[in-house]
Amino acid sequence: MERIHHINPFAKRDSHSKNTVITYKILTTITWLLSIVVSFYYTFHKPHDGVWVRRRIWAQNDAYSTAFRLNHIIASIYWLVLFILQGGYIAHLFSGNVERVNAACSVGSHFILNNLFHFAFIMLFVRSYFAWAEVLIILNFINLSSLYFRHPGYTKFLHEAVVSGPLAWTFVAIYWNGAIMVPHSHSLVARIFGNIFIWSILVYGLFFVYYYKDYTMGFNLSVLSAAIGVSQFFRQVVAFQWIFAFTIMAVLFVATVIVAVPAATGKDFKFARTRETDTERAPLLNEG
């Protein structure tokens, strides 16, 4: 078991060797840049290979009038900010502070895998391989969920850049790409299912806000809900989906503020769980 733990890149460790740190520096930087390059390139260019319809990222988004079509401006800003924050995370690997380096290395394997999944997803998505893209999104959701629940207690900065930011996007992307993947995605039946499933974003967000006191997940999901709402509003004013999306956005944002303000001022809040075990679970309570 000790040997398996030693070679397992996802195992929890309190310290990392010099060679391990160097490896993480190289792989996180390369995969992060790969993720950025493919995202920016296919935002402005369509692929020239493949047997199915080939489009730019947001051209694919706009080509399908699904219940989860996103506003490309809001979604692009979300990813631009996330990439910048992730650059700050990588800077932690080059820090002279040993604790920062060890914390960054501890989530490095999941971050590298997330970047590779994101790269592969974009490559498939723009080439209309939506079913395979959905498989990768689900696998990345498992990867990021494992990171969230197995490695709590990191600083807010690392948590937002590496954990909650990508996880919130991946959860919404499962519906975004999945809605495109299903046959007759623009049909009435598909939109009715969309009207139902969009509420899972609210349930998912409130779960983290209430149970883990994680206001970053609430905020991230409220932004992505706004991206859905704006897109649906401009698609069809007389419809339920944009109303549902903005309602979800508002509820999550209010819940986020209710949790974030007391956390910032060091005051407790009544509705949050106060059991000692929750202190160990909450990712944002340990600011160390």
Side-chain angles (χ1 to χ4, degrees), residues 86-241:
Q86 290 175 346
Y89 154 72
I90 292 176
H92 277 59
L93 290 168
F94 296 86
S95 171
N97 186 307
V98 176
E99 291 184 358
R100 285 188 176 183
V101 173
N102 284 328
C105 287
S106 295
V107 299
S109 296
H110 290 278
F111 179 70
I112 292 167
L113 189 57
N114 167 69
N115 290 336
L116 293 175
F117 276 134
H118 179 73
F119 165 78
F121 168 78
I122 294 297
M123 296 293 285
L124 292 169
F125 181 78
V126 296
R127 291 168 174 81
S128 298
Y129 292 103
F130 301 120
W132 286 111
E134 189 73 4
V135 171
L136 293 184
I137 279 288
I138 293 172
L139 290 175
N140 198 25
F141 178 73
I142 296 172
N143 166 54
L144 293 170
S145 297
S146 173
L147 170 60
Y148 192 103
F149 295 115
R150 292 180 64 246
H151 298 270
Y154 293 115
T155 61
K156 285 183 289 186
F157 179 80
L158 287 184
H159 184 75
E160 170 65 24
V162 182
V163 188
S164 67
L167 179 58
W169 163 260
T170 303
F171 181 78
V172 172
I174 290 175
Y175 292 111
W176 177 52
N177 179 77
I180 296 174
M181 177 187 68
V182 299
H184 310 294
S185 58
H186 61 283
S187 67
L188 176 61
V189 173
R191 296 202 66 84
I192 291 174
F193 275 103
N195 292 159
I196 297 171
F197 285 119
I198 193 171
W199 292 102
S200 66
I201 298 175
L202 177 62
V203 175
Y204 190 68
L206 289 180
F207 167 75
F208 287 102
V209 172
Y210 172 73
Y211 200 71
Y212 289 93
K213 306 171 187 176
D214 186 354
Y215 46 86
T216 65
M217 280 295 288
F219 179 76
N220 293 333
L221 289 170
S222 70
V223 171
L224 294 172
S225 296
I228 296 174
V230 171
S231 176
Q232 300 301 315
F233 176 80
F234 284 111
R235 175 191 174 276
Q236 185 176 355
V237 175
V238 183
F240 288 113
Q241 193 72 346

Side-chain angles (χ1 to χ4, degrees), residues 148-149 151-155 159 208-214 268-269 272-288:
Y148 192 103
F149 295 115
H151 298 270
Y154 293 115
T155 61
H159 184 75
F208 287 102
V209 172
Y210 172 73
Y211 200 71
Y212 289 93
K213 306 171 187 176
D214 186 354
D268 199 3
F269 40 93
R273 295 174 178 258
T274 56
R275 294 184 306 175
E276 182 178 350
T277 53
D278 287 339
T279 302
E280 297 176 358
R281 284 197 295 265
L284 299 185
L285 293 183
N286 184 352
E287 305 293 338

